[in-house]
Amino acid sequence: MADTVTVPVRGPAEQQAPPRRAWTVVLAGLGALLCSLDVVVVSTALPALRADFGASLSDLEWTINAYNLVFACLTLTGAALGDRFGRRRMYVLGLAVFTLASAASALSGGPGQLIAARMVQGAGAAVLLPLTLTLISDAFPAEKRGVAIGLWGGVTGVGVAAGPVLGGAVTEGLSWQWIFWLNVPLGIAMLPLSALKLRESHGPRPQLDVVGLLLAAVALTGLAWAPVRAPEAGWGSAEVIGALAAGIVFVAAFLGWERSAARYPMLPLGYFRVRGFSTANGAIFLQLFSLLGALFMITQLFQLGLGQSPLEAGVRILVWTGMPLLVAPVAGALADRFGNRPFMLAGLALQAVAYALMAWQVEPGVGYGDLVVPLIISGVGISMVFPTAANAVTMSVPVADAGVAAGVNMALRELGGVFGIAVAAAVFAHYGGYASPAAFADGCGPALWVSAGAAAAGAAVAALAPSRPGGTA
């Protein structure tokens, strides 16, 4: 099979007026902003949640992983529902669910209620986020999509950049509840605009592959549940091994169903033989494994290891998380000319170097000056990967299947993040703990070495991607 699937040169997307494209980028970007913000905004509030609720390490993990777990498990479902019932319609529905769940999170009275609300938030995001890429791919021709996805990556970068600072400022100045209340007015404002300004579109399948959706959801749940529970239950426990085994069995069942039994398969398996599709998805899985594992540790390092307040920690981390806002639009635009591979490869290599430098320097008494350069290097690296991996995936399939491609990409992103946080927490707990700044440093360093290794593996995968923009070489 050829290395790429032909993307139509002309179609309805190219006949849209420029103002509709502008609205698409703005509204899709804001949807991505909300989803990405709520991955990282909680991170600087973890110590406050620990103090307010008396939360354990497991509770802290679940405030992040409950969102990521449901997100990862239902993203393919969200993309498929958009293709079948209308992308604009499902985007508005996902936004409404996300907004209501944000209010429920703010009203939570304990760890259990917060975790439950975060799960509903993840369900809304699972519909919302993949459709941001689908709406952009539908609205822009192939030769201009890199610029648009670069802008999408830059807006997403605002969420990543603002998250730690916003979380720190709100937690310190008001309370942790306000990190969720802030989503509500933005969501309410976006609902009528999305219904009026976005163009409705559908995927090419006349029927929903219900069996495929159920098999994929169970498979992803098993694969995600195992690393989430492993730090507490143990990697060798019956629960974790059973979840992994169930995930693998249901993945095999899903592949068998899609290959031979599904009348309208939700995921054409031939796309995984397309080098641009498979390498970009592998690279993004390893990048999020590396990034969220490092973020989970570094936000706590600044507060528990360096003794800074939530706001001080958020401001200092801005040199890392603020880079996507500056670099991602440029990387996306240049990828249209030079291809996605150089940016994915260089970005992941920079992440690996940065986390290795941080791991090497983390010890009692480490100062911000020792960490600032690696933080900047890592920020540039993630900025180069976010838009180019998304661009590579959507460029590797026909535009009608952009929703499928975006769903796979987002599912692997979130699954990578779940594994990254779980493995980082397990390594941290094995080598250190919360007893003192020295104990925290003892666990943080090895966890960051794991993040460096994951990024290096991602760079090796990215090196196998096609060299030309959307090409075969």
Side-chain angles (χ1 to χ4, degrees):
M1 184 174 177
D3 260 354
T4 57
V5 177
T6 303
V7 178
V9 177
R10 292 287 175 189
E14 299 195 34
Q15 298 168 10
Q16 288 191 58
R20 181 62 59 88
R21 290 179 181 169
W23 274 112
T24 299
V25 171
V26 170
L27 292 169
L30 287 174
L33 170 67
L34 285 173
C35 296
S36 60
L37 185 65
D38 268 58
V39 173
V40 296
V41 73
V42 181
S43 59
T44 44
L46 292 177
L49 287 169
R50 183 166 172 258
D52 196 2
F53 288 153
S56 64
L57 175 61
S58 176
D59 291 331
L60 296 180
E61 287 181 67
W62 272 103
T63 60
I64 297 176
N65 276 336
Y67 179 87
N68 289 340
L69 177 66
V70 176
F71 198 166
C73 296
L74 296 183
T75 296
L76 278 174
T77 301
L81 291 173
D83 282 356
R84 176 64 182 87
F85 297 110
R87 291 154 178 169
R88 180 184 64 194
R89 180 180 294 112
M90 295 308 300
Y91 186 81
V92 171
L93 178 61
L95 180 60
V97 170
F98 185 92
T99 303
L100 289 171
S102 296
S105 297
L107 294 170
S108 299
Q113 294 177 25
L114 177 58
I115 290 166
R118 290 280 285 166
M119 293 177 71
V120 179
Q121 247 194 335
V127 176
L128 192 60
L129 189 56
L131 291 180
T132 63
L133 272 179
T134 309
L135 290 165
I136 289 175
S137 297
D138 177 70
F140 286 83
E143 65 273 11
K144 295 181 180 179
R145 204 173 299 154
V147 176
I149 292 178
L151 292 171
W152 169 87
V155 175
T156 304
V158 173
V160 176
V165 179
L166 184 62
V170 170
T171 300
E172 188 173 337
L174 296 169
S175 68
W176 63 263
Q177 287 88 347
W178 280 93
I179 65 179
F180 298 110
W181 280 126
L182 292 175
N183 294 336
V184 176
L186 181 56
I188 291 173
M190 287 174 60
L191 283 168
L193 288 173
S194 298
L196 293 171
K197 299 296 185 181
L198 294 175
R199 187 177 81 94
E200 186 61 282
S201 63
H202 295 76
R205 295 163 187 80
Q207 294 180 9
L208 193 63
D209 179 14
V210 177
V211 174
L213 288 177
L214 292 174
L215 290 173
V218 175
L220 289 170
T221 299
L223 293 176
W225 184 265
V228 166
R229 289 287 298 143
E232 186 172 347
W235 285 97
S237 67
E239 178 184 357
V240 170
I241 293 174
L244 281 174
I248 292 169
V249 168
F250 275 91
V251 166
F254 170 74
L255 295 177
W257 171 263
E258 295 296 294
R259 181 181 294 112
S260 58
R263 185 177 181 185
Y264 298 103
M266 61 178 288
L267 176 58
L269 299 183
Y271 288 153
F272 286 100
R273 295 195 293 271
V274 179
R275 198 147 49 98
F277 183 85
S278 57
T279 54
N281 279 314
I284 204 66
F285 173 87
L286 290 164
Q287 194 223 12
L288 266 293
F289 184 112
S290 171
L291 172 59
L292 288 192
L295 181 67
F296 181 74
M297 296 312 308
I298 291 170
T299 52
Q300 296 185 79
L301 169 67
F302 274 60
Q303 296 177 65
L304 303 178
L306 277 64
Q308 296 171 353
S309 70
L311 178 58
E312 290 171 336
V315 170
R316 283 163 175 76
I317 293 172
L318 190 60
V319 297
W320 176 30
T321 57
M323 286 296 113
L325 178 60
L326 303 175
V327 179
V330 177
L334 291 176
D336 283 336
R337 181 176 180 184
F338 297 107
N340 297 299
R341 183 174 71 181
F343 298 94
M344 290 193 296
L345 174 57
L348 281 158
L350 288 174
Q351 279 186 253
V353 169
Y355 299 148
L357 286 172
M358 282 188 269
W360 178 53
Q361 295 182 61
V362 168
E363 59 183 20
V366 65
Y368 179 67
D370 300 316
L371 301 174
V372 64
V373 172
L375 287 171
I376 293 172
I377 293 172
S378 173
V380 172
I382 64 175
S383 307
M384 298 169 73
V385 181
F386 273 156
T388 54
N391 193 27
V393 167
T394 55
M395 286 285 289
S396 298
V397 304
V399 69
D401 267 346
V404 172
V408 173
N409 187 248
M410 295 298 174
L412 289 173
R413 277 177 54 145
E414 297 310 311
L415 197 60
V418 169
F419 270 89
I421 292 172
V423 172
V427 172
F428 168 77
H430 180 76
Y431 288 99
Y434 290 113
S436 67
F440 188 90
D442 288 341
C444 184
L448 288 173
W449 277 117
V450 172
S451 289
V461 172
L464 302 175
S467 60
R468 296 196 301 271
T472 62

